[in-house]
Amino acid sequence: MEKRDQLYEGKAKVLFSTDDENKLIQYFKDDATAFNGVKKGQITDKGVLNNLISARLMGLLEVVGIPVHFIERLSEREQLVRRVEIVPVEVVVRNRAAGSMSKRLGIKEGTILPRPVVEFYLKSDELDDPLITLDHIEVFNWASHDEVDQMIEMSHRVNDVLLGYYANIGIHLIDYKLEFGRLSNDPDTLVLADEISPDSCRLWDMKTGKKLDKDRFRRDLGNVEEAYQEVVDRMGLS
Ligand code: UDP
């Protein structure tokens, strides 16, 4: 696979074209941002660790029949992915209250939710990723009714798989963000895209409650790299 032009640089990843117009290379950087880019920093080797973790999780989801844009891990920081048009909506799945849900609704962090909650946010740095309703998504054509149904259904299936996987390695999956895309060569097909890593998940150690995710960076808790490495170690990827 030949790596060609840089197409896009985001906060944590860079996308390159390849000699196949329907495949891209996704490169994982060490750059870390929080609060929509207001707080910036670097986490040593984060890109390497997130590439490993996301490849493992996406691979796992693909095996159980959830369509993903991930194809294969190519190198320490690169993976080959299907080219997609990203749906401009972030899907957050929550198993326990934390972060913005706790703040907005006054629910204590860690409160177990009686069932998983799926929320939608508009992908917009300018507007600070506002929480949106299902009607907003359809009325403003960010996704069709059918795509919304698929995103909800796929999010619940992803949650079943990830909850079980993390429980097996002694980690509570508190919440996380998913992104979906339409395949560039088949726009009617929606697949899971982007990454699933400690950058986009809240992961708490089952025994100690220790945070093993980006909250260590957001909240200046220290030992960020060590926490990501701990997740890699528990996944048996080191
Ligand atoms: N999240 C993310 N990107 C975002 C917003 C949220 O990856 O732009 C993840 C975040 O890491 C957490 C979950 O989605 O695991 C829920 O985040 P929340 O709404 O609580 O916002 P935050 O507290 O991160 O501002």
Side-chain angles (χ1 to χ4, degrees):
M1 186 58 56
E2 192 191 316
K3 187 168 164 184
R4 292 199 176 154
D5 307 321
Q6 179 174 323
L7 299 180
Y8 169 82
E9 176 156 13
K11 290 177 219 144
K13 293 186 295 297
V14 189
L15 288 174
F16 296 90
S17 60
T18 68
D19 49 355
D20 182 335
E21 62 173 349
N22 295 312
K23 291 178 184 166
L24 302 181
I25 288 174
Q26 175 165 275
Y27 176 96
F28 289 76
K29 302 191 285 184
D30 286 346
D31 297 352
T33 61
F35 315 116
N36 270 323
V38 173
K39 182 180 165 94
K40 290 193 177 86
Q42 288 246 324
I43 302 169
T44 311
D45 283 343
K46 174 173 81 79
V48 176
L49 302 170
N50 280 355
N51 187 19
L52 280 168
I53 294 167
S54 193
R56 163 61 58 91
L57 296 178
M58 290 288 188
L60 205 71
L61 294 169
E62 188 180 25
V63 165
V64 300
I66 296 167
V68 296
H69 88 329
F70 170 78
I71 300 171
E72 62 174 329
R73 192 170 152 271
L74 296 173
S75 68
E76 266 203 327
R77 290 177 182 272
E78 291 169 319
Q79 48 183 246
L80 189 65
V81 299
R82 291 181 182 84
R83 188 179 197 139
V84 298
E85 179 202 16
I86 292 285
V87 175
V89 158
E90 297 191 343
V91 181
V92 168
V93 183
R94 301 182 186 273
N95 295 302
R96 293 188 185 217
S100 71
M101 173 185 249
S102 292
K103 222 180 194 174
R104 188 181 315 112
L105 305 178
I107 313 284
K108 191 174 176 287
E109 280 220 317
T111 305
I112 298 171
L113 304 174
R115 63 173 180 82
V117 167
V118 177
E119 296 174 343
F120 294 91
Y121 293 84
L122 180 63
K123 261 174 85 76
S124 165
D125 285 343
E126 266 167 54
L127 300 175
D128 223 4
D129 292 356
L131 181 65
I132 51 177
T133 69
L134 297 182
D135 264 358
H136 291 154
I137 299 176
E138 284 179 44
V139 159
F140 299 117
N141 270 320
W142 295 318
S144 69
H145 185 87
D146 184 48
E147 285 174 330
V148 170
D149 283 350
Q150 284 183 54
M151 289 194 285
I152 294 172
E153 207 246 338
M154 276 160 71
S155 297
H156 284 289
R157 287 170 66 202
V158 167
N159 197 48
D160 287 343
V161 176
L162 295 188
L163 264 182
Y165 179 76
Y166 273 115
N168 257 318
I169 56 172
I171 292 173
H172 285 306
L173 176 61
I174 305 300
D175 60 27
Y176 52 98
K177 183 257 307 179
L178 299 175
E179 294 194 25
F180 293 87
R182 305 173 183 106
L183 288 181
S184 61
N185 58 351
D186 178 14
D188 291 339
T189 299
L190 204 62
V191 302
L192 195 58
D194 194 50
E195 68 181 300
I196 309 177
S197 73
D199 270 10
S200 55
C201 300
R202 285 197 169 91
L203 304 169
W204 295 359
D205 178 68
M206 276 185 172
K207 282 207 186 104
T208 63
K210 183 181 169 191
K211 296 185 200 309
L212 301 171
D213 57 62
K214 204 163 92 175
D215 270 348
R216 301 204 74 81
F217 171 76
R218 290 191 193 97
R219 302 179 188 187
D220 294 320
L221 300 175
N223 296 321
V224 189
E225 184 197 343
E226 289 77 4
Y228 283 48
Q229 183 67 53
E230 170 87 33
V231 176
V232 166
D233 291 347
R234 293 215 198 163
M235 289 182 169
L237 298 171
S238 32

